[in-house]
């Protein structure tokens, strides 16, 4: 983001500055007011309805306040009108406005959670502090597992099954769907649909520990053919380690990393505490949206994950330099 530069002579008034700050939250890849799918569209419509009604009520209240302050010192004149104003504005108006707003709110909420048949299911598992994404066929057969980057086919409804392994998290992609909690021991079902391609932001929306704010999700919406190609690539095992260095790196991985991480197609298939790394370099970010996924950041992350994201569950592993570089080269070959 480029910082805004003010001309030297112009001293900005704080009023437009505050307005710009307020409006900055109304667009971009994580705004409820720029919906990219039907669920978010119904939330945005409801939001606008609430804003318009709230603004009208605000103007009415300010008008009543102006009238009341003008009439000060003339109590006998205003008594009857004041009583009428209190009854109409304080009792009748809320009795009409609040139920009138409740009806569209409940209707929208019901539509957002109504189950519907979908060709694809994504099981989303919340962990401190990352997202495990398991793509499944509607019958439950697993297709592929990835982490922190939810790919969706454009224009298709996808069923989401949300659960958690440790504490309560909350799935929220503002441009696509409302929030829904991921609760240990329970599966919450919802759906998502994206109608325009693009890259959007999701965020854990329930405080879940020290790195709650860095539990981010990248959402990539692709045309169906491109999505199918992505899913096909994710389904496959990791590239075989052909060279001696890569084979040595696999052994290093098995000793130091495989207790938590899986690389499908190798003997490191039993660790499910951390993200599946089979196609690590196909992802845009590391550590759930904390770092851009490039070799230098990956090196820094492995060398010292607690400085990058203090309190995350990945321990620091000290390796001799040769082993470290062999492991790094191997991991960056996993595309
Ligand atoms: Cu997970 Cu907040």
């Amino acid at each position: 983001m480029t910082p805004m530069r003010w001309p030297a002579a112009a001293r900005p008034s704080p009023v437009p500055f505050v307005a710009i700050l307020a409006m900055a939250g109304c667009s971009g890849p994580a705004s409820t007011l720029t919906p990219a799918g039907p669920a978010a569209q119904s939330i945005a419509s409801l939001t606008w309805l609430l804003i318009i009604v709230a603004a009208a009520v605000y103007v009415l209240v300010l008008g009543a306040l102006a009238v009341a302050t003008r009439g000060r010192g003339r109590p006998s004149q205003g008594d009857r009108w004041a009583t009428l104003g209190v009854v109409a504005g304080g009792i009748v108006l809320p009795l009409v406005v609040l139920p009138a707003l409740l009806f569209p709110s409940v209707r929208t909420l019901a539509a957002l959670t109504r189950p519907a048949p979908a060709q694809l299911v994504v099981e989303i598992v919340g962990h401190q502090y990352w997202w495990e994404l398991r793509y499944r066929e509607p019958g439950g057969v697993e297709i592929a597992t990835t982490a922190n980057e939810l790919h969706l086919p454009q224009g298709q409804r996808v069923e989401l099954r949300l659960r958690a392994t440790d504490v309560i998290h909350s799935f929220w992609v503002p441009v696509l769907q409302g929030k829904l909690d991921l609760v240990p021991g329970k599966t919450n079902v919802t759906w998502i649909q994206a109608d325009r391609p693009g890259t959007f932001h999701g965020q854990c929306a329930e405080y879940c520990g020290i790195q709650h704010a860095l539990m981010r999700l990248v959402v990539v919406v692709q045309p169906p053919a491109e999505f199918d190609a992505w899913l096909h690539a994710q389904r496959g095992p990791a590239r075989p380690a052909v060279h001696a260095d890569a084979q040595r790196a696999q052994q290093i991985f098995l000793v130091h990393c495989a207790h938590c991480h899986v690389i499908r197609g190798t003997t490191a298939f039993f660790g499910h505490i951390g993200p599946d790394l089979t196609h690590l370099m196909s992802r845009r970010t590391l550590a759930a949206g904390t770092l851009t996924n490039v070799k230098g950041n990956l090196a820094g992350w492995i060398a010292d994950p607690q400085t990058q994201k203090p309190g995350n569950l990945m321990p620091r592993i000290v390796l001799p330099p040769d082993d470290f570089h062999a492991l790094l080269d191997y991991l960056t070959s996993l595309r």
Side-chain angles (χ1 to χ4, degrees), residues 169 204 206-208 212 215:
H169 305 270
C204 179
E206 175 73 39
Y207 182 74
C208 54
H212 156 70
M215 186 166 164

Side-chain angles (χ1 to χ4, degrees), residues 91-296:
I91 298 171
V92 178
L93 193 66
L95 280 178
V96 174
V97 171
L98 294 180
L101 290 179
L102 183 67
F103 178 69
S105 302
V106 170
R107 205 178 56 164
T108 303
L109 192 64
L112 291 181
T113 50
R114 192 175 298 131
Q119 293 300 308
L120 184 67
V121 173
V122 185
E123 185 185 1
I124 302 185
V125 188
H127 298 261
Q128 284 174 318
Y129 304 95
W130 62 281
W131 307 89
E132 181 181 355
L133 308 165
R134 295 171 169 267
Y135 284 76
R136 293 182 187 278
E137 289 171 4
V141 176
E142 189 157 321
I143 304 169
T145 299
T146 182
N148 302 322
E149 192 168 299
L150 176 65
H151 286 241
L152 295 171
Q154 182 188 357
Q156 290 176 22
R157 181 179 275 228
V158 174
E159 184 180 309
L160 301 180
R161 294 182 193 159
L162 310 179
R163 60 184 183 86
T165 56
D166 36 38
V167 297
I168 300 175
H169 305 270
S170 181
F171 174 84
W172 190 31
V173 182
V175 299
L176 293 176
Q177 242 302 8
K179 295 171 193 169
L180 191 62
D181 280 2
L182 295 82
V183 183
K186 186 178 189 304
T187 300
N188 282 335
V189 179
T190 185
W191 59 274
I192 199 164
Q193 182 177 328
D195 289 338
R196 62 179 158 93
T199 304
F200 306 110
H201 294 177
Q203 169 71 47
C204 179
E206 175 73 39
Y207 182 74
C208 54
I210 185 169
Q211 287 301 345
H212 156 70
L214 285 180
M215 186 166 164
R216 296 174 185 153
L217 180 70
V218 178
V219 181
V220 182
V221 179
Q222 297 165 300
E226 203 179 294
F227 171 81
D228 289 347
W230 172 84
L231 191 59
H232 182 75
Q234 294 293 318
R235 184 199 290 252
R239 287 182 176 193
V242 180
H243 297 294
D245 278 355
Q247 286 166 358
R248 191 167 72 86
Q250 270 191 356
Q251 291 308 310
I252 297 165
F253 186 90
L254 202 60
V255 172
H256 294 281
C257 318
H259 300 286
C260 299
H261 297 282
V262 161
I263 297 178
R264 281 175 278 133
T266 73
T267 47
F269 58 81
F270 49 85
H272 288 285
I273 296 171
D276 184 309
L277 302 181
T278 307
H279 299 290
L280 171 65
M281 296 313 286
S282 72
R283 307 201 279 257
R284 287 156 174 77
T285 71
L286 292 167
T290 307
L291 301 164
T292 309
N293 190 7
V294 293
K295 191 173 184 178

